Amino acid sequence: QCILRLAEMCRRLETEEEKVLPFYPSLLAEGEQRDAQRVLEETPTEPLAQAMWDYMGLECFWQRFNKAKLEEQALEQERVALSQRNWRLQQLLWQYLAGISITQEMLGRASPT
C-alpha cells in the first residue's frame, strides 16, 4: 500500500512529456514481450518473488532515478571537459597578451626625444 501511494505521488510530479513518452524502447521480440507480460501478471508464490512483486510499482521511479543519475554524470564529464578547455584558452590568451604587451623599457626606446 505504501509503495502504491509513493508511486502515485511520483506520478503526480511527472511532467506531461514524462507521462507520455516511454523511457526506452524494448529490445525484446514480440513473443518475448508477451511471455514477460504474462510472467509479470502472475502472482508469485516464492517469498522473494512476492517481495519483488510488491515493489513493481516503483519501477518507473527507479528508471527515472537512474536516468537522472546518468544525466548528472554526463553533465559532470562535460563540466570537466569545459573547465579544461577554459584553462587552455586562458593560457593561450595570457601567452598572446604577453607577446603584445609593451614594457616601460620598450616605451623608453621608442620615443625620439
Side-chain angles (χ1 to χ4, degrees), residues 6-21:
L6 181 60
E8 288 172 10
M9 285 180 7
C10 291
R11 180 76 175 159
R12 278 187 254 135
L13 296 174
E14 291 176 347
T15 64
E16 286 301 315
E17 183 180 346
E18 289 172 331
K19 289 178 182 178
V20 174
L21 296 177

Side-chain angles (χ1 to χ4, degrees), residues 4 24 38 41 54 70-71 92 94 96:
L4 292 176
Y24 309 104
R38 184 177 36 81
E41 291 171 357
D54 291 342
L70 287 172
E71 288 177 2
L92 290 170
W94 285 115
Y96 173 76

Side-chain angles (χ1 to χ4, degrees), residues 31-81:
E32 292 172 323
Q33 286 180 357
R34 280 193 306 266
D35 292 343
Q37 186 63 36
R38 184 177 36 81
V39 169
L40 288 175
E41 291 171 357
E42 294 174 2
T43 305
T45 56
E46 299 172 9
L48 180 58
Q50 178 65 43
M52 290 177 62
W53 194 69
D54 291 342
Y55 288 93
M56 288 297 291
L58 292 176
E59 184 178 346
C60 284
F61 165 78
W62 287 114
Q63 285 178 341
R64 292 189 194 286
F65 179 82
N66 290 333
K67 183 179 182 214
K69 281 297 194 183
L70 287 172
E71 288 177 2
E72 179 184 25
Q73 288 179 350
L75 288 172
E76 177 61 22
Q77 289 176 352
E78 185 177 355
R79 187 195 65 76
V80 168

